[in-house]
Amino acid sequence: MGQRGQGAGILPQMEGIIFSLPTYYYSADASGSGSLPIGGTLSLGLDADVFLALPTVLWLTPFDVLGGDLAFSGTFVYGNSDVSAEAALVIPGIGVRGPVSLSDDRWAVGDPAFSALVGWHGDNHHYLVSASVNVPVGSYDAGRLANVALNRWAGDISVAGTWTFPQNSIELSAATGITFNGENDDTDYETGTEFHLEASAFYQFTPAFSIGLNGYHYQQISGDSGAGATLGDFEGRVSAFGPGLSGTIQAGPLPVSVSLRYFHEFNVKNRLEGDSCWLTLSIPLWVPEQTP
C-alpha cells in the first residue's frame, strides 16, 4: 500500500521502455491479549522491520486497446524482513510464565508481479485500468518467522484516475481495486479478498517540483480460510496518511523522476500498525527515434 499516489492515472503517452526503482521501508508492531478458558491471560507482541527494493520495467507499446494506450510491466522483489515476537502467560495462583521470545532476520528474493495496463488521456484528465498477477516463485520457508515472498498466487484488478487543474497548479489522483488471493500451499492458509484505495492531492510549485498529501485505506472484504486459518476470519483493516514530494532532475540528457512518500497508519484491525516510506526513481531506458 502507498506505492500509487500522484499521477496514479497517468500512463506516459509515448512508445518506449521506462525503468523505475521503488524502495520501501516499513516499521510496525502489533500486540494483543486474550482470556483463557482456564482463567488468566495470554499476551502477545510482534515487531517487524521490512526493507524492499522493487525494480520495475514498463514497456509502453505502440498498440491501442479501445482507444487507450497499451503497456506491460514486470516487478521483481528483493529485500529484508526482520521480525521478533514475544509471548507471556499469566495464570492466577501460578504467576507469569515467560516471556518466550523469537526473532528472525532474512534477506531474500520475493515473488515477481506482472501487469497489463491500458491508459486513456484527455486535456486535464487521465484514466488507467490494470490487471496484475503475483507469481509465487520467491524464496519462502514456512518454518521461518521472517519471509519476503507471499508464496501464493494473487490477482488484482485496479482502476485509477488523475485530474489536473492548471489554473490552480493542483493535481488530484486516486486508485482503487480488488485483490483475489490463492492459498499458501505450505501453510494451508488462504487470505481473503482485499479492497484497497489510494489517493493524493499535490500542488505544483514549478514544472519540476511539487508537494502534497497521500493516503490509503485497506479493507478485507472476505475472511481468511483454509486448515491453517486457526484464528478464524481474521479480517484486516488499516488506513494511513502522510506527506509527499516529487520532482524531476536531469542526469545528462535523461530526465530522472524522483518521488518520496511517508505514511503513518491508524484505524488498524488484525494487522501490524506502523510507519512506511517510499522512495522511487524512474528513468527512460529507450525511446524510438522520432522521424524528422
Side-chain angles (χ1 to χ4, degrees):
M1 295 299 298
Q3 186 174 3
R4 291 182 293 184
Q6 184 184 19
I10 300 177
L11 190 67
Q13 290 181 271
M14 65 181 201
E15 181 186 352
I17 296 175
I18 296 176
F19 174 78
S20 65
L21 181 60
T23 52
Y24 172 69
Y25 176 71
Y26 182 58
S27 180
D29 56 48
S31 62
S33 62
S35 300
L36 301 174
I38 59 174
T41 59
L42 176 65
S43 299
L44 303 171
L46 183 69
D47 291 281
D49 292 283
V50 178
F51 172 80
L52 300 176
L54 301 102
T56 299
V57 176
L58 175 65
W59 174 34
L60 302 158
T61 78
F63 308 114
D64 292 343
V65 174
L66 300 176
D69 300 320
L70 175 66
F72 298 96
S73 72
T75 298
F76 304 88
V77 183
Y78 182 75
N80 173 262
S81 178
D82 184 353
V83 182
S84 61
E86 187 172 277
L89 179 66
V90 180
I91 299 178
I94 298 178
V96 178
R97 291 293 180 266
V100 176
S101 299
L102 298 171
S103 63
D104 194 10
D105 185 1
R106 185 181 199 186
W107 287 90
V109 175
D111 299 332
F114 301 95
S115 302
L117 311 93
V118 180
W120 294 266
H121 311 278
D123 291 338
N124 296 314
H125 57 271
H126 307 267
Y127 301 103
L128 180 68
V129 174
S130 63
S132 305
V133 60
N134 182 81
V135 183
V137 295
S139 177
Y140 183 85
D141 186 346
R144 297 194 62 158
L145 192 62
N147 277 294
V148 174
L150 297 176
N151 197 46
R152 65 175 183 261
W153 289 94
D156 183 86
I157 301 294
S158 295
V159 296
T162 293
W163 301 267
T164 59
F165 303 88
Q167 66 276 18
N168 298 315
S169 301
I170 291 174
E171 178 197 300
L172 304 178
S173 293
T176 188
I178 301 290
T179 303
F180 304 92
N181 294 289
E183 184 176 281
N184 183 329
D185 293 331
D186 290 342
T187 60
D188 297 321
Y189 198 106
E190 184 171 344
T191 299
T193 301
E194 303 163 301
F195 166 81
H196 52 88
L197 171 67
E198 298 162 274
S200 69
F202 271 72
Y203 182 83
Q204 191 166 28
F205 288 92
T206 72
F209 177 73
S210 58
I211 190 168
L213 297 172
N214 301 279
Y216 62 74
H217 178 72
Y218 163 96
Q219 180 90 42
Q220 256 188 261
I221 56 178
S222 69
D224 299 343
S225 60
T230 57
L231 296 178
D233 290 347
F234 208 67
E235 296 182 19
R237 179 190 69 222
V238 64
S239 301
F241 188 70
L245 59 86
S246 66
T248 301
I249 58 176
Q250 286 295 131
L254 296 176
V256 179
S257 298
V258 182
S259 71
L260 179 64
R261 302 181 183 124
Y262 166 80
F263 296 91
H264 175 70
E265 294 184 331
F266 58 94
N267 187 34
V268 177
K269 177 184 178 183
N270 293 336
R271 285 177 65 90
L272 295 172
E273 179 177 359
D275 300 274
S276 64
C277 184
W278 285 95
L279 174 63
T280 303
L281 305 177
S282 300
I283 186 170
L285 292 183
W286 171 79
V287 177
E289 294 184 5
Q290 301 297 318
T291 303

